[in-house]
Amino acid sequence: MPKKLKKKSNKQFQQALQLHQRGNIAAAKEIYLQLQANDPENPEVLHYLGLVEYQTNNLASAIELISQAIKLSANEPNYYSNLAMCYTDQGEYDQAENNYRTALSKDSRLIPALIGLGSLLAKQGKYKEAEQYLSGIVKRQPNHVTANANYALTLQKLGKYKEALGFAKKAAKIDPNNAVSHSNLGNIYLDLGEFTEAQNCFRKALSLDPTYGKAFHNLARSKKFSSDDIDMELVTQSDQYVSSHNLGVDRQISFHFGLGKIYDDLKMWDKAFRHFNQANSLVTASYDARSLQTN
């Protein structure tokens, strides 16, 4: 069991947790750091500090902090599951898989670990094994958004498009304000050749999150654009977003590839070349950065 906090510290810890849950990461971190200064070997404080670092994209620091928590309290399955999540985002899939499996050896019903492992296996192309994990979760927790969404993606990769469509629709219905769910649903419609439905899903995703580059890229590849296309306003908007907003690398890549394809359709060669060139440069830089992190 994790080391117990002193009564006064426990009150502070609960305050930090409430701030953390409300999304006030900076204020929560300040309290966690105060608690760590007073009690540097408290695993729960280290664990939550690690989650703060994860949420602010400091993956190396997150891994270090959660690993310290595990050294101090080796039987907490959530620690291993969250450490695996960090390794997944860093591209260290073997480490991630080992930690998910350790988490499940300690609690075979831990939903985040089951979903995380299933999704990780799908990332690695192990779709049959991923299907086994995720199918069990959607049976036990039929209204779990992430489980339905990831199961749909896995079924899609296995070529089970109609079955995938049902779970993707369910994910979008459970959380109608989730842009990713609508974009994923659109992708399945594309595979089924239902282009109008697919395009409506991508537009819906972009209305919920105009910075969601993957939805824009999917819309771009769903049809051939013309100068009077009904989505030209989205093209202009997306061009402005990728130029003026501080977007993550993956989103920038998706926007640039989408814009390159559209400007190619419009025979605006210079713009198309510029966007394709920027996309490829970012892909190369991202690959090099990940290689440095994982070697």
Side-chain angles (χ1 to χ4, degrees):
M1 292 295 290
K3 181 179 174 182
K4 295 293 182 183
L5 292 160
K6 296 174 183 176
K7 192 169 184 179
K8 182 180 177 183
S9 297
N10 188 52
K11 187 176 179 181
Q12 284 182 284
F13 184 63
Q14 293 305 318
Q15 182 187 1
L17 280 181
Q18 288 173 6
L19 289 166
H20 200 162
Q21 289 163 0
R22 291 174 194 156
N24 194 339
I25 305 296
K29 182 177 181 179
E30 189 175 335
I31 298 174
Y32 291 143
L33 287 171
Q34 290 171 11
L35 290 167
Q36 185 194 24
N38 294 328
D39 190 1
E41 293 192 346
N42 188 287
E44 196 72 340
V45 171
L46 290 166
H47 172 234
Y48 277 97
L49 263 176
L51 291 180
V52 164
E53 294 298 289
Y54 171 80
Q55 289 172 295
T56 51
N57 206 33
N58 297 315
L59 294 176
S61 179
I63 288 169
E64 183 180 351
L65 286 161
I66 299 174
S67 296
Q68 287 178 36
I70 287 172
K71 286 178 183 176
L72 294 163
S73 183
N75 292 315
E76 286 296 311
N78 282 305
Y79 294 179
Y80 293 96
S81 182
N82 288 332
L83 181 59
M85 177 178 67
C86 297
Y87 277 125
T88 299
D89 280 17
Q90 190 154 280
E92 297 189 48
Y93 293 158
D94 288 344
Q95 288 275 28
E97 184 173 340
N98 288 339
N99 278 283
Y100 276 132
R101 292 192 186 280
T102 301
L104 291 169
S105 73
K106 298 178 184 301
D107 181 355
S108 62
R109 298 176 64 84
L110 185 64
I111 294 296
L114 288 165
I115 294 174
L117 181 56
S119 303
L120 177 64
L121 291 167
K123 278 179 186 284
Q124 296 172 297
K126 302 173 184 177
Y127 300 117
K128 277 289 184 185
E129 194 176 354
E131 182 184 17
Q132 292 173 5
Y133 278 94
L134 295 168
S135 64
I137 300 166
V138 295
K139 286 174 185 174
R140 283 164 46 195
Q141 295 207 1
N143 292 320
H144 197 292
V145 178
T146 306
N148 278 281
N150 289 351
Y151 188 43
L153 289 172
T154 301
L155 291 169
Q156 181 186 11
K157 292 293 186 182
L158 289 168
K160 301 178 181 181
Y161 300 119
K162 290 188 177 178
E163 194 178 350
L165 185 65
F167 287 99
K169 281 182 175 178
K170 189 170 184 181
K173 186 177 180 180
I174 295 167
D175 185 3
N177 295 318
N178 189 314
V180 176
S181 293
H182 289 285
S183 184
N184 289 344
L185 177 58
N187 264 328
I188 297 170
Y189 276 125
L190 272 188
D191 284 339
L192 290 167
E194 298 184 34
F195 299 106
T196 300
E197 291 288 351
Q199 289 155 17
N200 287 336
C201 288
F202 300 139
R203 292 185 191 109
K204 177 66 175 177
L206 287 164
S207 73
L208 292 167
D209 183 0
T211 72
Y212 190 37
K214 191 173 285 187
F216 179 76
H217 187 199
N218 289 334
L219 179 63
R221 68 188 184 88
S222 72
K223 60 179 175 175
K224 185 165 185 176
F225 277 69
S226 60
S227 58
D228 60 349
D229 195 282
I230 60 170
D231 291 312
M232 283 307 295
E233 189 176 334
L234 277 174
V235 175
T236 302
Q237 173 184 284
S238 297
D239 210 338
Q240 290 171 347
Y241 264 108
V242 79
S243 300
S244 62
H245 285 64
N246 185 24
L247 302 177
V249 173
D250 288 346
R251 293 194 175 210
Q252 290 181 57
I253 290 169
S254 293
F255 271 123
H256 283 305
F257 273 129
L259 288 163
K261 189 269 181 188
I262 291 167
Y263 286 128
D264 189 67
D265 287 348
L266 298 173
K267 297 182 170 46
M268 300 173 72
W269 315 122
D270 288 346
K271 282 191 171 184
F273 176 79
R274 177 167 58 83
H275 283 292
F276 281 135
N277 190 49
Q278 286 177 290
N280 286 315
S281 296
L282 286 166
V283 168
T284 302
S286 178
Y287 176 80
D288 289 345
R290 288 176 186 175
S291 296
L292 287 170
Q293 286 176 344
T294 56
N295 283 343

